Amino acid sequence: RQMCIRDSSASGGAVAGNSFTSLGQTAVMLVGNATTQPSGISITSNAILRVGETLASSSGVFCCSCVSTYIFDNDIRESSRWGVAIRSQDIEGANSGNNTVSHNRITTTGTATKDYGAISLIAYSDAPKSESVISHNRVVDAVGVYSSYAEADDGSGDLVGALLTKYMSYGIYLDNYASGYTVHDNVIAETGTAGIFFHLGWENRVVNNVFFESLDAKYEDGAAQIVAEAAEAPHECSVPRGAAERLLRPTRAPSHGLTRASRAGGRCC
């Protein structure tokens, strides 16, 4: 049965112990702006299976401009794009902050889209630090797909299509200046491009995570398990526990040598 929960301008509610199966779009959606933002909502112990069967840009849990949201112990499987997505918007200071994403199991995301994270955190230029925590999540099988076509090599003029997968997929994606996050004790496995990706953020802390089996990181010229892009060179990262450390400015943080069940910690980006 098609079923979802959409809430705006809510405070102090809970979505707990529900089952969502075969949905056209997102299962649990919290939306608002600077004056109607959801606050103090708990989303816990839900089973979410197959979302985004109609709308590709869907998520198991989606929060826009939410504050003090607690996303805990959810089992999210088979999503067209995100498992959990949290967004801030440059509209009258509609920012997300003080949120916790913890102890969730997120499996097989990005089945219809690319350039995403199973856990996606999106901000904007000059957004305040989120002061949020991403911890103890298990993320497996970030897929990512891309279709294209070109003329056949035989000179016939026929068009030949191609479907690429895994393609531009990440375990955790901090996009568009997403800043002030602490990411710790997560296990990220079987991604297309990298375990975690930072885009233009600052003061994010990454500690004691396990990243392994990222497809591109297996190749010498591929991306790393931890990737950062910045308009300027990112802050130097420290990677303890004997993991290889190499900073390629301005686009890559610790690279190669973090490809098999390696632990990465320190400050980045």
Side-chain angles (χ1 to χ4, degrees):
R1 182 174 63 171
Q2 293 284 337
M3 176 181 178
C4 65
I5 294 176
R6 183 182 187 275
D7 206 344
S8 62
S9 191
S11 178
V15 180
N18 300 286
S19 294
F20 303 87
T21 304
S22 299
L23 302 183
Q25 57 172 326
T26 293
V28 181
M29 180 182 294
L30 306 179
V31 295
N33 56 36
T35 57
T36 64
Q37 60 188 175
S39 175
I41 307 296
S42 295
I43 303 169
T44 61
S45 303
N46 298 286
I48 300 172
L49 174 64
R50 292 192 299 274
V51 296
E53 293 189 343
T54 302
L55 178 65
S57 186
S58 294
S59 182
V61 178
F62 180 86
C63 295
C64 182
S65 307
C66 53
V67 175
S68 300
T69 305
Y70 186 56
I71 303 171
F72 177 83
D73 188 37
N74 298 285
D75 191 358
I76 302 170
R77 299 172 182 266
E78 299 181 32
S79 171
S80 58
R81 189 159 177 82
W82 308 292
V84 174
I86 298 177
R87 178 186 296 267
S88 292
Q89 294 195 112
D90 190 10
I91 302 173
E92 300 177 353
N95 300 306
S96 292
N98 193 33
N99 298 304
T100 299
V101 180
S102 182
H103 290 83
N104 300 284
R105 299 164 302 284
I106 302 173
T107 308
T108 310
T109 55
T111 59
T113 58
K114 64 179 178 68
D115 194 13
Y116 82 100
I119 298 175
S120 178
L121 313 162
I122 305 174
Y124 59 90
S125 177
D126 299 323
K129 292 188 297 181
S130 179
E131 305 294 356
S132 295
V133 175
I134 312 298
S135 73
H136 297 94
N137 299 286
R138 177 185 181 272
V139 176
V140 179
D141 193 26
V143 180
V145 297
Y146 175 64
S147 60
S148 64
Y149 65 89
E151 288 192 6
D153 294 336
D154 59 10
S156 65
D158 293 338
L159 296 179
V160 177
L163 182 66
L164 305 179
T165 184
K166 299 176 171 219
Y167 190 88
M168 291 187 71
S169 62
Y170 305 85
I172 302 174
Y173 196 138
L174 291 89
D175 199 10
N176 290 357
Y177 298 92
S179 304
Y181 282 88
T182 298
V183 181
H184 70 88
D185 293 287
N186 300 281
V187 176
I188 311 295
E190 299 177 18
T191 61
T193 305
I196 187 169
F197 178 49
F198 299 90
H199 181 222
L200 302 174
W202 69 91
E203 293 190 31
N204 293 302
R205 181 171 171 81
V206 184
V207 179
N208 203 41
N209 299 279
V210 177
F211 305 105
F212 67 102
E213 290 296 340
S214 180
L215 184 62
D216 282 3
K218 294 180 180 180
Y219 304 102
E220 185 175 353
D221 60 347
Q225 288 285 6
I226 303 175
V227 178
E229 292 188 358
E232 300 177 355
H235 297 297
E236 189 166 332
C237 301
S238 62
V239 184
R241 300 180 183 87
E245 178 181 0
R246 183 170 66 183
L247 186 63
L248 305 181
R249 301 177 183 271
T251 58
R252 288 179 183 167
S255 62
H256 317 311
L258 292 179
T259 58
R260 298 283 301 186
S262 297
R263 291 184 175 269
R267 293 184 180 273
C268 183
C269 319

